[in-house]
Each structure stands twice: as C-alpha cells, then as structure tokens.
Amino acid sequence: MKFCKKYEEYMEGQCQNKKLPRVGLKKLKKILKKCRKCHQSRSVVGLSADNNNVHDNSSCSQHQCSVCDGSFFPSLLKEMSEVVGSFNKRAQKLLELHLSSGFRKYLILLKEKIQGNHIALVQEGKDLVTYAIINAIAVRKILKKYDKIHYSKQGQAFKSQAQSMHVEILQSPWLSELMAFHINLRENKAKNGKALALFDGCFLVFNEGKPSLTCELFDSIKLDIDLTCSICLDTVFDPVSLTCGHIFCYICACKVASVTIVDGLQAANHKEKCPLCREEGVYESAVHLEELNILLSRSCPEYWKERLQTERVERLRLAKEHWESQCRAFMGV
C-alpha cells in the first residue's frame, strides 16, 4: 500500500473520535502535479524552438517556482504548525494527568474528559507518538517529491526553516517526554508481571556511560536523543528542553541564559542564545522534562544520589547570592 493511502486511512480512523489537524498530502500532490505539467509544456516548447534535448528547470532549481511556491510552502507550513500545536497540547495534558495526584488529578479528568485508567493512558500515549511519527514521514515524503520535481534542494531548505520556527514535530520536547513516559510505564508493569508497551523499540541506552533515548519506528525512522548536557558534559540532571529542542541541566541552562534559579528561565532575555545552535529566544518557553527526570533517577541511582547532594549545595549557594543581591539593591548598597 502506498504511503499516501496508508496515511489517509490512518488519519480518517483517528478523526472519527478526535478532530486532529493533518498534512494535506492529496492537495499538495495536486499542486506539484500542476507544476510538473507546466514544466513539461515549457520543455516541449523549448525543444521545438531550438531542438534542445535538455529539460530546463533553472527557474525552479535556482529561484522560487512561480507555479507552486505561492501555495505549496505556505500551505505546508500552516499544516505543520497546526499538527505540532495539537500534538504538544495533547501530550502536555496527558503527562500532566499522569504526574498529578489527588484533587488536582480529579479536576483535570473532569475538565478534559480524559479516561484516567492505566490502559487508557498507555493507548493515548501510543496514539500520540504514532501521530507525531506518521506526520513527520508525510512531511519528509512530500518535501522529497518537491525536490525531485524541481531538481532542487529547496525542500530541504524549507525543512531547516521549519526547525528554526519550531514546527518540526520530531523536534518537540514533548516527544522525548512521551518516550520516557512509555519506558517508565513499561518498567512499572514489568515489576508487576504485566508489561504493556507503546513501542517495543523504545529504550534508554548507555554508550560508554553516556545515556540516550532511542526509538526505532516504522518506515526506517529512528529517533536518537542525546541525554548528555553539552555545558557540564555530564548526564542531564533536572533536565529542561529549550524550544529549539536541545536538552540541558536546569542549573546549566540558567547560567548560560544569565538568570538565577530563583527567577527561572522565563526571565531570560530574548536575545540569549542556545549554546549549541545559537538560536535566540529559546529559553522563555523551555519545558521541564519530568518524566525523563524520573527515568534517569531510576536508571542511574548512584550517580543521581551523588549529583543530588552536590546540586542541593549549589542551589543553596545560588539562592543565597540572589537574595543577598536583592537586599543590597533594595537598601541601595
């Protein structure tokens, strides 16, 4: 079965119960088909004029294509934005429900009308990861088709632009949280003799002592998320994901963003850059990866115990410095 048909069938099945945004593969393919016919007619005119057997696509390979760029890329960008927005919102609600307890959990269940039993949570997590991956594949395939028709690399350039605009779904911090959520549930159930998994190929692996999240999925998609903080060069502790998708320790991120742990990353200046990709404005909406924090604390108990002690001392020192500076400022010293 062709991917387009498989994708449409999957989305139709999902949309029976939930109104979910999707990538309009059929519509985008029609735009590309129209573009191809236009270039073929131009090629025929060129051959009859000068008997030139070379298909001229210079107008598309080096410049914007006037036939489809006005509708193809804007439509795809809008759909990608809607897909990643829906995914992030649903994943955040699911993980908030899983981590909450007592009256707060009851309020979330009542407000969002979500089933709170274990099987329903696992199924929702599985649906979310599948939704993210199949839409990522759809985007990859349509951009590959664009480049093939236009003999260009504009599709790949658009993908880089989408990443900088934070509408690339595989870049979402909630995807790594869902992977950690899956592994945590699987380990909990394994202890009780009931293993219920989202994907069998999703694991926390250690290579020479360096941890990473890896997930092998259909259509040759493999996610590999490095869990080493590039600032302190150690396993991330109390991890946060910036909006660009890079993961750091919370204290390390605060230091790089030039803010105190008391004020938090939301107080960071918009011009502060990610130390890896050098992108600006990535700290204000950073996400605390609580499921990943739980997973790492269980998987590295000795390291976690040692790091927790040093982290407490460091946080007390930083908090003391912050309040002393606030007192001096207040007294005008």
Side-chain angles (χ1 to χ4, degrees):
M1 185 187 294
K2 289 187 176 180
F3 176 79
C4 185
K5 187 176 180 181
K6 185 189 298 183
Y7 177 79
E8 292 299 329
E9 287 183 358
Y10 169 78
M11 291 307 301
E12 286 296 331
Q14 287 291 303
C15 290
Q16 286 180 359
N17 302 320
K18 307 164 187 173
K19 293 182 179 180
L20 299 176
R22 65 171 80 181
V23 176
L25 283 183
K26 288 184 177 180
K27 180 183 69 176
L28 295 171
K29 281 189 173 183
K30 284 181 181 178
I31 296 173
L32 293 180
K33 189 176 181 180
K34 180 181 177 182
C35 182
R36 176 183 282 174
K37 286 180 179 179
C38 180
H39 290 313
Q40 286 175 347
S41 63
R42 286 180 185 175
S43 181
V44 171
V45 172
L47 286 170
S48 60
D50 56 8
N51 295 324
N52 184 9
N53 292 321
V54 180
H55 178 72
D56 183 15
N57 276 314
S58 60
S59 63
C60 283
S61 60
Q62 298 177 4
H63 307 286
Q64 289 188 344
C65 173
S66 59
V67 179
C68 66
D69 281 15
S71 54
F72 179 85
F73 286 128
S75 295
L76 181 56
L77 185 62
K78 181 183 177 183
E79 289 161 359
M80 289 176 67
S81 180
E82 290 174 351
V83 166
V84 76
S86 174
F87 170 79
N88 288 344
K89 187 177 180 180
R90 289 174 62 201
Q92 186 174 4
K93 287 179 181 178
L94 172 67
L95 294 167
E96 184 180 5
L97 174 61
H98 180 241
L99 293 169
S100 62
S101 60
F103 186 66
R104 177 176 171 78
K105 188 168 188 175
Y106 172 76
L107 287 177
I108 296 172
L109 290 170
L110 190 65
K111 181 181 178 181
E112 305 297 340
K113 298 179 181 179
I114 304 173
Q115 288 183 308
N117 62 73
H118 176 79
I119 295 176
L121 289 178
V122 171
Q123 185 60 47
E124 176 69 6
K126 180 178 180 179
D127 290 344
L128 277 171
V129 176
T130 305
Y131 176 74
I133 299 304
I134 201 167
N135 277 285
I137 295 170
V139 171
R140 185 184 69 174
K141 285 188 176 293
I142 199 66
L143 290 177
K144 189 175 180 181
K145 191 174 185 67
Y146 178 94
D147 283 346
K148 184 178 179 180
I149 290 174
H150 293 81
Y151 300 94
S152 74
K153 293 185 178 179
Q154 288 190 33
Q156 293 303 312
F158 172 80
K159 188 175 181 180
S160 299
Q161 180 188 359
Q163 289 176 344
S164 67
M165 296 175 69
H166 312 136
V167 294
E168 165 60 58
I169 198 162
L170 296 183
Q171 190 183 18
S172 170
W174 297 107
L175 188 56
S176 57
E177 269 289 81
L178 281 174
M179 290 167 65
F181 163 74
H182 153 63
I183 298 172
N184 286 334
L185 284 182
R186 186 178 60 193
E187 290 181 354
N188 285 342
K189 283 297 174 180
K191 291 178 182 178
N192 298 327
K194 297 178 181 179
L196 185 57
L198 306 184
F199 294 97
D200 292 333
C202 189
F203 299 99
L204 174 68
V205 298
F206 290 85
N207 185 13
E208 296 181 355
K210 301 294 183 181
S212 64
L213 279 176
T214 181
C215 195
E216 296 180 4
L217 303 163
F218 49 85
D219 200 64
S220 303
I221 289 284
K222 181 179 180 181
L223 296 178
D224 196 4
I225 302 172
D226 184 23
L227 300 179
T228 299
C229 176
S230 60
I231 299 172
C232 65
L233 304 179
D234 217 332
T235 299
V236 288
F237 184 89
D238 193 14
V240 290
S241 176
L242 309 186
T243 52
C244 58
H246 294 119
I247 299 174
F248 303 97
C249 305
Y250 176 69
I251 283 187
C252 294
C254 286
K255 288 178 180 178
V256 172
S258 303
V259 295
T260 67
I261 59 170
V262 178
D263 292 330
L265 294 174
Q266 67 273 10
N269 190 301
H270 188 75
K271 293 184 178 180
E272 295 293 342
K273 300 178 181 179
C274 169
L276 286 179
C277 63
R278 309 305 298 165
E279 185 178 340
E280 294 182 351
V282 293
Y283 292 97
E284 297 95 320
S285 301
V287 177
H288 249 107
L289 305 178
E290 296 183 43
E291 288 283 353
L292 182 58
N293 196 51
I294 293 170
L295 175 61
L296 289 172
S297 65
R298 291 176 175 176
S299 304
C300 319
E302 294 182 2
Y303 163 77
W304 216 253
K305 185 177 179 180
E306 180 183 345
R307 183 72 184 264
L308 187 61
Q309 292 176 346
T310 57
E311 197 83 0
R312 283 173 178 168
V313 173
E314 180 69 4
R315 290 194 178 215
L316 284 172
R317 184 185 67 81
L318 292 173
K320 183 179 178 182
E321 289 180 357
H322 170 78
W323 292 116
E324 284 178 350
S325 65
Q326 291 294 310
C327 288
R328 286 195 295 270
F330 178 76
M331 296 175 67
V333 178

